[in-house]
Structure formats: C-alpha cells, structure tokens
Amino acid sequence: MNILVTGGAGFLGLHIARKFSAKKKLKSSGIQRIVMADIAPFDKKEYPKDCEFMNVDVRRYKDLQKALKGIDVVIHAAAALPLRKPDEIRKTNVGGTENVLKAGIKNKVKQVIYISSTAVYGVPEKHPVYEEDKLVGVGAYGESKIAAEEKCRAYRGQGMYVTIIRPKTFVGTHRLGVFEILFDWIKDGKRIPVIGNGLNKYQLLDVDDLVEALYLCAAMKDKKTIDSEFNIGAEKFETVKEDMEALFAVANSGSKVQRTPARLVKTVLYIFEKLRLSPLYQWVYDTADKDSYVSIDKLKKALNWKPDYSNAQALIKSYQWYEKHYKEVKSRPSGTTHTVGWKQGILGFIKKFL
C-alpha cells in the first residue's frame, strides 16, 4: 500500500507520518511507501527517515497528476484555515479537493480520505450531532468544507472510494495556533475568559486518536463500509469549566475560569475580527458558549475503534509538550497554521488586565 498525504508539512501531517511509519514496521500493515506532500517546506528532522517528500500545490492539477502516480490511498489534509482570505480558502479547500479527486481517478487511486470538519454543522440546535444532520456553513471556511464534501460525493462510484472524516477540533503535541494563545495565558497564570458560564459541553479530539482511525480507514480491505461520512471526537468530555480546571490543576499556574456575558463578548469579538484585530474567527466564538458534540457511534462500529483520550487528557498532553518546548515555540515567527502561534492582536492587550 502506497500512501500520499497532502498537507504533510502540517500538524496533522506530522502525526500521520509518525503513526504510519511505526505501522509500516509491521508486515501485516502492507504499507510500502509514505509520501508527504505540501506547498510548505518540511522540517525533515521531525519526520521518520522512511518518509518521502514532495513539493505539491493542491491548487495545481498538474502537480497532483504527477504526485499520485503509483499511489493507492490519499489522505487529503491540505486546507487553507479561516485566517486566510475567503478567495484563497475556496481555491485551496474546494478547488484543491476537486484536483485531488480528479487526479486520483486518472491515476486509479483506490481511496481518498478527505479531512473535513464538524464546522460543516454550523451552530447546531440539538446534540449529539449525527452525520445525516443538516449542513450549515459559517463563514468562508465552513462553506468551503461543505462544498468540498459535495465534490467528494460526486466522485464516488467512479472506481474510487471516498471517505469523509469530520473531526472535532483536535489537539496534541506540536499543536499551536489558537491553543498557543490559551497555553500562553495559562503559563502566565492569567484568568481565562470563557464565553458564557463555561457549563456547556464542548467535545475535542486527541490527534493520536484521529490518526489511528485514519490508519484503520486506509488499511481496511472492505472499502465499501467506509465509503461514507464519519464524525470523530473524544468519547469522554465534561463541561468547558471542568475540562479547563483539570488542565489548570496539572499546569499549577493559578489560572481560573472567568465567566463573561456571551452576547456582549460575541459582538465585541465580531467587531475585532472584522477590523482584523483578533485571530478568533466567527465559528469559534459563536459555538464557544454552546454545547458542541457529535455522535461517533458510526465510526466506532465501522472501524471497531474507540478513542483513548478524554478532552482533559488531550489538553493536558498538549500543554505539557508546549511547556517543555516553550523557548523553542516563542522563538518562532507567528503565522496562520496550526504549527506556529497566532498573533494575539488585541487579545494580548486584554491579557494584561486579567
């Protein structure tokens, strides 16, 4: 089995490379090649030695046409995140996905595993959310994920299986982005404002649980059972307040949850976002004070899989890695990916008063 991962230089790509390389050592895995593809540069010392690297822009069909020769399974994780401009998000997330599918058909790829998002559900009114529930995109990113899924469904039945994975926000070692802001405040012992009272349940996901599920999808012989859409998230999660307090206890920083008036804070964050003063985007703060969790029963049954980590365990593991690599993290320039910290903007100013 020859596997290619788009977005291979990112947070998820790195974890896929490490997991699949470890599995490759087992003869039963059938893995022969692991190809990491990305437009961004790779920090090759972070990756297993048996990984191959390709410079590929998913927006360029010709790049993919060449890269997918001899590939059996594509894990399509490349995406433009919400901090990018709407036009760039659509070109990468929708156009890039169609290019992957089109090149996959041409090269007789057996399976594409598309990494979507639970952002496709918008701000649901009932929980848990199931795969067949209504899709409502919030902002350019959520809309692009829905459109990309439509492309995936259109290519099913053309000699290639297409698995759509909808993960909750996932965390783990090397995860920075918006979580670097949270961890920075906790390390400095600041009060952590939550939108509302923090008594809502907000499901997360550990990246190692996600990658194990991706391996099982790629290795499954009966592809018909996974030629569908699947939610994935933690099985055990408490309220936002309880999960945060579990993290505070391990961090031993003195941080506490600070309740805030939800409607007022959302209005202010919306204004900050439009003025480009805050890195927080609409779907994040619109869902932050509400229950947000999905059913993972369909995936558990299809793969005979279950997650190992709870919300709190995933957060703690991620924070401990951050603390251990604090100087290294702070020495990096900020950016718009999950592997670097995001500019705090006006949030950094607010931090001084908490």
Side-chain angles (χ1 to χ4, degrees), residues 14 18 36 41-54:
L14 175 61
R18 291 179 172 181
M36 311 306 292
F42 289 89
D43 185 356
K44 294 182 181 179
K45 68 178 183 295
E46 296 279 356
Y47 289 76
K49 293 181 180 179
D50 57 353
C51 289
E52 302 173 35
F53 301 94
M54 286 188 179

Side-chain angles (χ1 to χ4, degrees), residues 1-12:
M1 178 168 56
N2 298 328
I3 297 168
L4 181 138
V5 182
T6 69
F11 163 62
L12 178 56

Side-chain angles (χ1 to χ4, degrees), residues 20 78 80 84 157 217 250 268 271 321:
F20 279 56
R84 300 284 189 176
C217 281
V250 172
V268 171
I271 294 170
W321 178 89

